[in-house]
Amino acid sequence: MSACSSDGGDDAAATSAPDNAAATSAGPDSASSTAAASTDIADVDVDVADEDGVSVPSLTLGGDTFADGAVPFSLEATETKEVDEGDGNTVEAGEEVTVKYLAVNGTTGEELLSTFPTEESVVMDTSSELLLPAFAETLVGQKAGSSYILGMPPADGFGEAGNANLGINPGDTVLFYVEVISSATPLSQAEGEEVEPKDGLPTVEADGTSPATITIPDDLDAPDELVVEQLIKGERAEVEAGQTVSVHYTGVKFSDGELFDSSLTSGTPSQRSLAQARSLKAGMKAWLDSPSDPVC
C-alpha cells in the first residue's frame, strides 16, 4: 500500500508494494486462495462497534462475521462498494490522501491491520510508485468524508507471492474498509508567515530543494535541553492527534555544523505518526542529556 514510506511500520507495509523476498518465506503448508471461487463484493458489509467510546468497524460476509461467512473469498479484478458518499473535496491524482483503514484476509477472514482502535490515520501518496495499484485506482475521485469497501486481488495488490509478514499467502484477495479523511497537494517546501527568530539561535537558509544551511554562532553554548523555534507559521489545517505527518528535515552536529542527515538528499519526505514523533522527541532529549554531540 505505500501510504507511509518505510518509516511507517506495519501500516506502511500494508499499503505498499509487496516485498517478494519476505513474501516467499511462507512455508509449504500455507493456505492459498488461488482455487477459490469468486464472491460478489455486494455480500460484504461493515459493522461498527463501540469500544470504550471508540467506533471500531469490522467486515461481515453474508451477514456473518467475515471468518464465519462463505470464505474463502476471492476476486479476479479490483472491485469497490460505496458505504458513505462524502461531501468534501474530491481527491485528485497526485494528491496525498489521509485515510483510516481496516484490512481483512479474504481467504481466512482474519483481520490483518486496523488504524481504528488507536484512532490514527495514514497518508497515502497517489503519485507514489510504491502505492498498491488498487489504492491508486480507487482513491482518486473519492470525496473527503466518503468510505468504501475495496476488494483487492493479487494482481492489483500483493501479487501471487503475497506477504507472509502480514499474513497474506499466495493468491489471497485482501479486503479493505477505507474512510477518506482529507486530501491535499503536498507542499514542496514550507509556506506561510515568516516568524522572526530569537537572537542568539542558529540561523537557517532553506530553499525546499536541497538540504538547509544551518549556521551556528561561534559564541553559542550547546543546549542542555530541547529548544524549539518556529520559523514559518503554516496556513493549512492544524495537525491533530493520531494523524501521520509528512516532513522534510535537515540535521547538523552542533559542534561543527556538519550535516549528518537530510531527507532532501533523496528528495523523499519522512512520514511519521505523532506517536512516532513523540518517541523521536524523547529520543532527542535523551541524546541531549547524554555526552553525545548535540544536534540541530
Side-chain angles (χ1 to χ4, degrees):
M1 304 191 301
S2 152
C4 313
S5 95
S6 59
D7 290 334
D10 288 341
D11 284 342
T15 57
S16 55
D19 181 343
N20 288 334
T24 54
S25 65
D29 295 330
S30 297
S32 174
S33 63
T34 55
S38 295
T39 302
D40 192 345
I41 199 171
D43 294 333
V44 182
D45 287 300
V46 180
D47 182 42
V48 180
D50 186 294
E51 298 184 5
D52 298 325
V54 177
S55 296
V56 178
S58 60
L59 291 182
T60 63
L61 182 59
D64 298 318
T65 60
F66 209 96
D68 294 331
V71 293
F73 179 100
S74 69
L75 294 173
E76 296 181 357
T78 294
E79 295 184 22
T80 61
K81 177 181 178 180
E82 182 180 85
V83 177
D84 290 309
E85 182 177 359
D87 57 6
N89 294 332
T90 301
V91 177
E92 304 287 346
E95 290 187 325
E96 292 180 341
V97 189
T98 301
V99 305
K100 295 180 179 180
Y101 73 87
L102 158 71
V104 171
N105 188 314
T107 299
T108 63
E110 177 186 2
E111 183 176 306
L112 303 174
L113 289 169
S114 178
T115 66
F116 291 96
T118 57
E119 297 188 284
E120 292 194 356
S121 60
V122 170
V123 177
M124 297 188 183
D125 182 356
T126 59
S127 67
S128 173
E129 295 181 355
L130 296 177
L131 187 65
L132 293 177
F135 279 113
E137 175 186 336
T138 62
L139 281 173
V140 174
Q142 297 285 341
K143 293 183 178 181
S146 67
S147 59
Y148 66 102
I149 297 168
L150 166 64
M152 181 184 296
D156 291 340
F158 296 91
E160 289 301 326
N163 189 315
N165 291 338
L166 294 176
I168 301 170
N169 292 308
D172 286 348
T173 290
V174 181
L175 291 114
F176 291 86
Y177 169 65
V178 182
E179 291 185 358
V180 180
I181 309 302
S182 63
S183 65
T185 301
L187 296 174
S188 59
Q189 63 185 77
E191 293 181 358
E193 178 185 353
E194 291 190 9
V195 178
E196 186 69 25
K198 296 179 181 178
D199 292 336
L201 292 180
T203 60
V204 179
E205 296 180 9
D207 60 13
T209 61
S210 56
T213 299
I214 301 175
T215 303
I216 301 171
D218 293 336
D219 58 350
L220 184 61
D221 293 331
D224 55 11
E225 62 181 16
L226 183 65
V227 178
V228 178
E229 178 67 22
Q230 187 177 44
L231 300 177
I232 295 178
K233 183 178 180 180
E235 299 173 344
R236 292 194 175 186
E238 183 176 339
V239 177
E240 298 180 358
Q243 291 182 325
T244 295
V245 294
S246 178
V247 301
H248 272 303
Y249 65 88
T250 296
V252 301
K253 294 189 296 182
F254 193 93
S255 59
D256 57 11
E258 181 183 352
L259 175 74
F260 67 84
D261 194 18
S262 178
S263 61
L264 286 158
T265 302
S266 65
T268 302
S270 173
Q271 293 180 332
R272 295 181 180 272
S273 70
L274 293 191
Q276 290 173 314
R278 285 191 293 271
S279 296
L280 180 62
K281 181 177 179 180
M284 291 191 70
K285 185 178 187 305
W287 192 355
L288 290 170
D289 289 341
S290 74
S292 301
D293 191 1
V295 299
C296 289

